mmCIF file of all heavy atoms in Angstrom:
data_model
loop_
_atom_site.group_PDB
_atom_site.id
_atom_site.type_symbol
_atom_site.label_atom_id
_atom_site.label_comp_id
_atom_site.label_asym_id
_atom_site.label_seq_id
_atom_site.Cartn_x
_atom_site.Cartn_y
_atom_site.Cartn_z
ATOM 1 N N ALA B 232 51.406 18.994 14.498
ATOM 2 C CA ALA B 232 50.677 19.985 15.284
ATOM 3 C C ALA B 232 51.659 20.615 16.279
ATOM 4 O O ALA B 232 52.570 19.932 16.763
ATOM 5 C CB ALA B 232 49.546 19.320 16.037
ATOM 6 N N PHE B 233 51.492 21.892 16.529
ATOM 7 C CA PHE B 233 52.334 22.536 17.513
ATOM 8 C C PHE B 233 52.156 21.819 18.855
ATOM 9 O O PHE B 233 51.041 21.436 19.174
ATOM 10 C CB PHE B 233 51.951 24.015 17.649
ATOM 11 C CG PHE B 233 52.847 24.778 18.574
ATOM 12 C CD1 PHE B 233 54.120 25.141 18.179
ATOM 13 C CD2 PHE B 233 52.425 25.101 19.865
ATOM 14 C CE1 PHE B 233 54.961 25.834 19.060
ATOM 15 C CE2 PHE B 233 53.262 25.787 20.734
ATOM 16 C CZ PHE B 233 54.526 26.154 20.335
ATOM 17 N N PRO B 234 53.189 21.528 19.613
ATOM 18 C CA PRO B 234 54.551 22.071 19.497
ATOM 19 C C PRO B 234 55.495 21.254 18.629
ATOM 20 O O PRO B 234 56.694 21.485 18.672
ATOM 21 C CB PRO B 234 55.011 22.068 20.946
ATOM 22 C CG PRO B 234 54.312 20.906 21.561
ATOM 23 C CD PRO B 234 52.991 20.821 20.887
ATOM 24 N N ALA B 235 54.980 20.319 17.849
ATOM 25 C CA ALA B 235 55.883 19.493 17.047
ATOM 26 C C ALA B 235 56.197 20.127 15.696
ATOM 27 O O ALA B 235 56.998 19.591 14.939
ATOM 28 C CB ALA B 235 55.272 18.110 16.848
ATOM 29 N N THR B 236 55.574 21.245 15.377
ATOM 30 C CA THR B 236 55.872 21.890 14.080
ATOM 31 C C THR B 236 57.272 22.493 14.129
ATOM 32 O O THR B 236 57.621 23.193 15.092
ATOM 33 C CB THR B 236 54.860 23.013 13.798
ATOM 34 O OG1 THR B 236 54.712 23.811 14.980
ATOM 35 C CG2 THR B 236 53.498 22.440 13.435
ATOM 36 N N ALA B 237 58.041 22.210 13.102
ATOM 37 C CA ALA B 237 59.402 22.789 13.050
ATOM 38 C C ALA B 237 59.294 24.275 12.711
ATOM 39 O O ALA B 237 58.495 24.655 11.847
ATOM 40 C CB ALA B 237 60.222 22.062 12.000
ATOM 41 N N PRO B 238 60.059 25.113 13.380
ATOM 42 C CA PRO B 238 59.971 26.555 13.076
ATOM 43 C C PRO B 238 60.604 26.859 11.720
ATOM 44 O O PRO B 238 61.384 26.069 11.195
ATOM 45 C CB PRO B 238 60.765 27.187 14.221
ATOM 46 C CG PRO B 238 61.727 26.129 14.658
ATOM 47 C CD PRO B 238 61.042 24.807 14.422
ATOM 48 N N LEU B 239 60.231 28.002 11.172
ATOM 49 C CA LEU B 239 60.827 28.462 9.909
ATOM 50 C C LEU B 239 61.864 29.520 10.284
ATOM 51 O O LEU B 239 61.499 30.559 10.837
ATOM 52 C CB LEU B 239 59.760 29.065 9.001
ATOM 53 C CG LEU B 239 58.439 28.276 8.855
ATOM 54 C CD1 LEU B 239 57.495 29.005 7.896
ATOM 55 C CD2 LEU B 239 58.706 26.867 8.358
ATOM 56 N N VAL B 240 63.101 29.237 10.013
ATOM 57 C CA VAL B 240 64.155 30.184 10.379
ATOM 58 C C VAL B 240 64.524 30.999 9.135
ATOM 59 O O VAL B 240 64.855 30.432 8.087
ATOM 60 C CB VAL B 240 65.401 29.447 10.915
ATOM 61 C CG1 VAL B 240 66.474 30.455 11.323
ATOM 62 C CG2 VAL B 240 65.025 28.567 12.095
ATOM 63 N N VAL B 241 64.426 32.294 9.258
ATOM 64 C CA VAL B 241 64.818 33.183 8.139
ATOM 65 C C VAL B 241 65.677 34.312 8.694
ATOM 66 O O VAL B 241 65.624 34.639 9.883
ATOM 67 C CB VAL B 241 63.594 33.778 7.402
ATOM 68 C CG1 VAL B 241 62.696 32.678 6.881
ATOM 69 C CG2 VAL B 241 62.831 34.726 8.289
ATOM 70 N N GLY B 242 66.448 34.899 7.799
ATOM 71 C CA GLY B 242 67.273 36.021 8.213
ATOM 72 C C GLY B 242 66.501 37.312 8.099
ATOM 73 O O GLY B 242 65.632 37.457 7.233
ATOM 74 N N ARG B 243 66.816 38.209 8.987
ATOM 75 C CA ARG B 243 66.181 39.525 8.877
ATOM 76 C C ARG B 243 66.609 40.149 7.559
ATOM 77 O O ARG B 243 67.807 40.160 7.231
ATOM 78 C CB ARG B 243 66.603 40.408 10.043
ATOM 79 C CG ARG B 243 65.891 41.741 10.050
ATOM 80 C CD ARG B 243 66.067 42.429 11.375
ATOM 81 N NE ARG B 243 67.380 43.035 11.500
ATOM 82 C CZ ARG B 243 67.626 44.330 11.246
ATOM 83 N NH1 ARG B 243 66.652 45.132 10.905
ATOM 84 N NH2 ARG B 243 68.835 44.799 11.382
ATOM 85 N N GLY B 244 65.642 40.611 6.801
ATOM 86 C CA GLY B 244 65.942 41.222 5.519
ATOM 87 C C GLY B 244 66.025 40.221 4.377
ATOM 88 O O GLY B 244 66.088 40.617 3.219
ATOM 89 N N GLU B 245 66.015 38.937 4.684
ATOM 90 C CA GLU B 245 65.983 37.957 3.605
ATOM 91 C C GLU B 245 64.599 37.935 2.982
ATOM 92 O O GLU B 245 63.606 38.210 3.655
ATOM 93 C CB GLU B 245 66.292 36.548 4.141
ATOM 94 C CG GLU B 245 67.737 36.314 4.476
ATOM 95 C CD GLU B 245 67.972 34.871 4.924
ATOM 96 O OE1 GLU B 245 66.995 34.174 5.285
ATOM 97 O OE2 GLU B 245 69.121 34.452 4.902
#
Side-chain angles (χ1 to χ4, degrees):
Chain B
F233 184 75
T236 46
L239 314 181
V240 181
V241 303
R243 185 166 77 97
E245 285 183 342

